Amino acid sequence: MEERRQHVRTRTYIDGNTVRKLEAAPDYRREQEKRREQEERRQKEIRRHNKHVARRNQERALRMNMGYVLFLTLAATVTALVSAVYIQLQSEVTGRMRRISALESQVAGLKADNDASLKRISTSVDLDYVKDVAINQLGMVYPEADQIDYYTIEEDDYMNQYSEIPER
């Protein structure tokens, strides 16, 4: 066995008298085709599994258990009751608005009647005639300065009388 050692740029290789086995060049196309087939099989398996899972989920979704049915029934009943109460309250509010409107128009009519009556009364009384009757027939005279008592009213627009006003 003869061996030769050479150093080529810090690499050492041995060239001896042993026969090396020849290897055929790797067939990259066949490997790629195998990989592609394996990938396709894997994708088919994934799709089959996903279809199975989806079908199982659909079946589960279509099945309703008793608790879910009761929950839906309760939710629908509560919704119907709340809607009925809301409609009733809206109806009451509308009725009250109509009554308020009718009362406001009645108040406006009564004010107009009062204003008309006040105008009629104020125009029907002749103050000159009243003064003439009071002075000539009833003997009314104007007060003199010492007969007049003045009262001061502070901020109130009325006065409480706690005792009789003294006469002079």
Side-chain angles (χ1 to χ4, degrees), residues 73-91:
T73 304
L74 180 66
T77 304
V78 167
T79 302
L81 288 175
V82 167
S83 298
V85 168
Y86 178 75
I87 291 171
Q88 181 184 5
L89 289 175
Q90 282 296 109
S91 174

Side-chain angles (χ1 to χ4, degrees), residues 9-23:
R9 290 190 194 179
T10 66
R11 287 190 190 166
T12 305
Y13 68 92
I14 300 172
D15 189 17
N17 62 356
T18 55
V19 178
R20 295 188 182 129
K21 290 183 181 179
L22 294 178
E23 292 181 16

Side-chain angles (χ1 to χ4, degrees), residues 61-113:
L62 291 176
R63 278 184 282 145
M64 288 195 277
N65 59 12
M66 188 55 109
Y68 187 64
V69 171
L70 288 176
F71 170 74
L72 287 178
T73 304
L74 180 66
T77 304
V78 167
T79 302
L81 288 175
V82 167
S83 298
V85 168
Y86 178 75
I87 291 171
Q88 181 184 5
L89 289 175
Q90 282 296 109
S91 174
E92 287 179 13
V93 167
T94 303
R96 287 181 180 168
M97 293 298 285
R98 286 184 183 149
R99 277 186 256 136
I100 288 172
S101 177
L103 289 173
E104 284 177 345
S105 64
Q106 185 180 2
V107 166
L110 289 173
K111 282 184 178 181
D113 289 347

Side-chain angles (χ1 to χ4, degrees), residues 1-151:
M1 244 204 246
E2 175 184 316
E3 288 187 12
R4 252 184 320 173
R5 290 184 181 225
Q6 294 178 347
H7 292 286
V8 178
R9 290 190 194 179
T10 66
R11 287 190 190 166
T12 305
Y13 68 92
I14 300 172
D15 189 17
N17 62 356
T18 55
V19 178
R20 295 188 182 129
K21 290 183 181 179
L22 294 178
E23 292 181 16
D27 191 3
Y28 292 113
R29 284 186 224 149
R30 182 181 281 171
E31 288 179 17
Q32 285 179 344
E33 193 174 311
K34 280 182 183 180
R35 272 191 244 128
R36 195 173 348 108
E37 286 175 2
Q38 287 175 348
E39 183 64 26
E40 286 176 5
R41 272 189 256 124
R42 194 173 66 80
Q43 290 295 332
K44 282 182 183 179
E45 186 64 32
I46 289 173
R47 277 189 236 120
R48 192 177 313 124
H49 177 71
N50 287 344
K51 283 181 183 179
H52 179 70
V53 169
R55 189 177 305 120
R56 191 173 52 210
N57 286 343
Q58 285 175 349
E59 289 172 0
R60 211 180 292 152
L62 291 176
R63 278 184 282 145
M64 288 195 277
N65 59 12
M66 188 55 109
Y68 187 64
V69 171
L70 288 176
F71 170 74
L72 287 178
T73 304
L74 180 66
T77 304
V78 167
T79 302
L81 288 175
V82 167
S83 298
V85 168
Y86 178 75
I87 291 171
Q88 181 184 5
L89 289 175
Q90 282 296 109
S91 174
E92 287 179 13
V93 167
T94 303
R96 287 181 180 168
M97 293 298 285
R98 286 184 183 149
R99 277 186 256 136
I100 288 172
S101 177
L103 289 173
E104 284 177 345
S105 64
Q106 185 180 2
V107 166
L110 289 173
K111 282 184 178 181
D113 289 347
N114 281 348
D115 290 343
S117 296
L118 181 63
K119 186 80 167 171
R120 191 181 72 244
I121 290 171
S122 65
T123 58
S124 69
V125 176
D126 184 12
L127 294 179
D128 291 332
Y129 174 75
V130 171
K131 180 180 174 183
D132 183 51
V133 168
I135 291 175
N136 295 332
Q137 293 179 8
L138 299 175
M140 184 185 96
V141 292
Y142 283 101
E144 296 190 19
D146 62 339
Q147 294 177 323
I148 298 174
D149 287 332
Y150 292 98
Y151 293 95

